[in-house]
Amino acid sequence: MEALEVLDIIAGGETSKAQFKLNVTNATSIAQEIVAFANTKGGLIIIGVNDKTGSVEGLSYQDIQRINNLLTTAANEHVKSPISIETETVEVEPEKRIIVARVPEGISKPYKDKDGLVFVKNGSDKRKVTSNEELRRMLQSSGGLYAEEQVLPHCTYADIDWDKFSHFYETTYEEPAEPDQERKFENLRLGQDGKPNLAGALLFTNNPQKSLTGFFITAIWFWGNELEADSYRASDYLRGTLPEQFSQARDFLMRTLHKVQSGDTFNSPGVLEIPKVVLTELLTNALIHRDYFIKDTIKLYIFENRVEIISPGRLPNNLTVEQMKRGIRKKRNDILDSLAPNLLEYKGAGSGVLRALKAYPHIDFINDIEAEQVRVVIHRTANLGT
């Protein structure tokens, strides 16, 4: 790393990607900083800089040797699982050398210190993670845990609508579901040992909300353009299996949205102001790709100037909005994604977001990391250009 580049980083102050240390003497303390970076987006630990003033103090030759050894010890022996870091000595001013330690984002989250504590970056500082829900999401991000595969302790195969499963299986695979329905159910990774997992319950139980709280759609049709809890035209809780929720949500939208004249004559048929394919793709996207570790409802809000679909959970696996708009997909729920084309009116090939944008470009996507949600804003045609 060049001296000017390091000085630019120092001039910008401490951030979620850069931490300053005047000196390092404690392996446990620096291991916690390494853990926080590895559990977040990675970053730089710059040693030899006063973190209060940003002034470069520099390190002696002996300090450089000792700190390099201490960093290696901390990353290998005080971090679980061990993580490889890169260190570099940079002379940023005459006779003033500092150490730049680069910590990569980890691929086996969550990382812990030697006492089993988990830290993440919180702006320029770090914070301890104590929530089981957050820990599960970290495991999910590294491919170590999937919400849809969690077996439900209070649900059994007696809750499965086997007629519904048989129809799906025979239609999809063109072979009888009987005999051994349960084995075929488990071969599709929908349950085990007499209990469905979350995916199996969401797709094939008689009453998913009996065992799964919060996994439905809250639909509200507002009078104006503001989120007013005590003033709306209509509201509903859309419950049931995912296909049932999808069907109810699309019906709710089609009842509330305008139809516009499609031709020049008075009798020409009306066309929905937002194309049906857009509603189909974006509702499917919300139901299939939401974060099921977050026990909250999908929000479907209809305003005078827009429709909003709000899904719990940020975009998965470092996916960005720009990547998503270019058709790049990163799965969060592999089971649901693989079975969705046969259960919802959904093509399943490529990106639903890309298809929606091609059909109707007036859509904004907001990945709200702090609020742990993705907002899709569909602007209504009557308000475009105003």
Side-chain angles (χ1 to χ4, degrees), residues 84-97:
S84 296
I85 63 173
E86 297 178 3
T87 63
E88 183 178 358
T89 302
V90 181
E91 185 173 2
V92 292
E93 296 177 13
E95 302 300 320
K96 286 189 177 181
R97 294 176 175 85

Side-chain angles (χ1 to χ4, degrees), residues 361-373:
H362 314 295
I363 308 171
D364 295 326
F365 299 88
I366 300 101
N367 184 27
D368 192 335
I369 293 174
E370 184 176 349
E372 287 281 355
Q373 63 183 23

Side-chain angles (χ1 to χ4, degrees), residues 55-155:
S55 63
V56 177
E57 303 294 334
L59 299 167
S60 68
Y61 176 82
Q62 291 77 15
D63 278 338
I64 290 172
Q65 295 298 102
R66 175 184 56 79
I67 292 170
N68 270 298
N69 289 331
L70 187 145
L71 288 169
T72 301
T73 300
N76 289 333
E77 299 179 13
H78 293 257
V79 176
K80 304 175 182 178
S81 302
I83 191 164
S84 296
I85 63 173
E86 297 178 3
T87 63
E88 183 178 358
T89 302
V90 181
E91 185 173 2
V92 292
E93 296 177 13
E95 302 300 320
K96 286 189 177 181
R97 294 176 175 85
I98 63 174
I99 293 175
V100 178
R102 188 183 301 274
V103 182
E105 180 177 359
I107 59 173
S108 299
K109 301 175 186 178
Y111 291 86
K112 304 174 183 178
D113 72 0
K114 67 181 181 64
D115 297 316
L117 300 177
V118 177
F119 295 89
V120 294
K121 292 296 292 181
N122 185 25
S124 62
D125 206 347
K126 65 180 182 298
R127 65 174 174 85
K128 189 189 302 182
V129 176
T130 58
S131 162
N132 288 335
E133 185 177 273
E134 188 173 2
L135 288 171
R136 286 194 294 266
R137 291 203 298 274
M138 292 172 73
L139 276 167
Q140 182 188 46
S141 72
S142 61
L145 184 66
Y146 298 94
E148 62 177 354
E149 293 185 346
Q150 292 184 103
V151 173
L152 305 181
H154 305 297
C155 193

Side-chain angles (χ1 to χ4, degrees), residues 274-309:
I274 298 171
K276 186 177 177 181
V277 65
V278 174
L279 307 180
T280 296
E281 297 294 350
L282 296 181
L283 284 173
T284 298
N285 208 56
L287 288 164
I288 299 301
H289 300 298
R290 60 155 290 175
D291 189 339
Y292 280 100
F293 277 128
I294 300 177
K295 293 180 173 59
D296 194 10
T297 66
I298 293 171
K299 310 297 191 300
L300 176 58
Y301 295 154
I302 295 90
F303 299 95
E304 287 299 301
N305 66 353
R306 69 194 187 278
V307 173
E308 292 194 14
I309 303 173

Side-chain angles (χ1 to χ4, degrees), residues 236-252:
D236 203 354
Y237 295 124
L238 313 180
R239 306 178 187 271
T241 62
L242 293 193
E244 289 165 349
Q245 290 183 44
F246 167 80
S247 179
Q248 293 173 65
R250 196 173 61 179
D251 288 348
F252 189 90

Side-chain angles (χ1 to χ4, degrees), residues 151-181:
V151 173
L152 305 181
H154 305 297
C155 193
T156 71
Y157 285 173
D159 298 302
I160 299 297
D161 185 332
W162 290 107
D163 288 339
K164 187 182 298 181
F165 175 75
S166 293
H167 179 266
F168 155 78
Y169 190 90
E170 291 168 4
T171 302
T172 303
Y173 302 106
E174 298 181 348
E175 65 178 46
E178 291 284 5
D180 295 332
Q181 271 186 323

